[in-house]
Amino acid sequence: MLILAVRQIIKLIKERKSIKIYRIINLLVTLTLFVLTFYNFNKIPNSIIEKIDWSISYNKRNQIVKDVLSEKLKPNTKMNNGICKLSFDFPIISNGGNDIWIYQNKTEGTKTIKFWISRGFFEAPQTYFIFTNDDETQKQYEELIKVKPEYNWKLEKIGTG
């Protein structure tokens, strides 16, 4: 990338008498990509994609949450570990197999539903959109949002049905 940037600068200097707009655009794009290479560029598009995903699929996820609260949807895998496989309708609501994770606090009757953004196998982190009506879970995640807002940015409190 550095070589491309230097090359674009040299061409711009050589053609300074008859600078063409595409040469300036090439230089700006190259320099932008060069800077973003060292600026952890990955966070920017991921953050934008997550926010777009949140907005686009919000109503569909809310309907799924209502179905979980009314017990139309329950964990349905053989391991019975809280995972519910959703049908593969378009658009996919939860990445990594279109599964959601349902945790039910039996003593309080509250539920927490997680929709995967990134399933994260082995040591890779998992990211979720989380809907909950459990006050204790809500407090835990709100604390995470305060401590590390770059990694935790949205928590949705759900009604009781």
Side-chain angles (χ1 to χ4, degrees), residues 11 18 20 25 35 47 51 53-54 62 66 76-77 81 84 111 121 158:
K11 284 184 178 183
S18 61
K20 296 181 174 93
I25 293 171
V35 168
S47 176
K51 288 181 170 100
D53 185 12
W54 173 263
N62 261 332
K66 288 176 185 173
N76 59 8
T77 58
N81 59 354
C84 175
K111 292 186 180 178
F121 294 99
I158 57 176

Side-chain angles (χ1 to χ4, degrees), residues 17 19 24 32 39 50 61 65 79 82 90 96 110 142:
K17 291 182 182 175
I19 295 176
I24 294 172
T32 302
Y39 176 70
E50 286 174 12
R61 287 190 181 103
V65 167
M79 292 186 295
F90 186 79
T110 58
E142 284 174 348

Side-chain angles (χ1 to χ4, degrees), residues 52-71:
I52 291 170
D53 185 12
W54 173 263
S55 299
I56 290 173
S57 299
Y58 181 79
N59 291 331
K60 180 84 171 168
R61 287 190 181 103
N62 261 332
Q63 183 57 48
I64 291 170
V65 167
K66 288 176 185 173
D67 290 347
V68 168
L69 292 176
S70 67
E71 301 203 1

Side-chain angles (χ1 to χ4, degrees), residues 7 12 26 31-32 35 41-42 54 59 80 82 88 100 109-110 118 127 133 138 149 155:
R7 184 174 169 222
L12 187 66
N26 279 345
L31 289 175
T32 302
V35 168
F41 176 66
N42 201 17
W54 173 263
N59 291 331
N80 199 18
F88 277 97
I100 59 172
T110 58
S118 172
T127 52
N133 60 1
Q138 175 122 9
L155 178 70

Side-chain angles (χ1 to χ4, degrees), residues 58-120:
Y58 181 79
N59 291 331
K60 180 84 171 168
R61 287 190 181 103
N62 261 332
Q63 183 57 48
I64 291 170
V65 167
K66 288 176 185 173
D67 290 347
V68 168
L69 292 176
S70 67
E71 301 203 1
K72 288 180 188 173
L73 283 175
K74 297 179 184 180
N76 59 8
T77 58
K78 290 179 183 178
M79 292 186 295
N80 199 18
N81 59 354
I83 293 178
C84 175
K85 288 197 165 292
L86 301 173
S87 63
F88 277 97
D89 296 333
F90 186 79
I92 300 299
I93 295 301
S94 184
N95 297 328
N98 211 28
D99 302 335
I100 59 172
W101 185 78
I102 302 168
Y103 172 75
Q104 183 166 354
N105 185 335
K106 301 212 188 274
T107 57
E108 296 179 22
T110 58
K111 292 186 180 178
T112 299
I113 299 111
K114 294 182 178 183
F115 296 85
W116 274 280
I117 300 169
S118 172
R119 192 73 179 251

Side-chain angles (χ1 to χ4, degrees), residues 35-48:
V35 168
L36 290 176
T37 300
F38 297 103
Y39 176 70
N40 201 0
F41 176 66
N42 201 17
K43 282 185 181 179
I44 296 169
N46 281 345
S47 176
I48 292 169

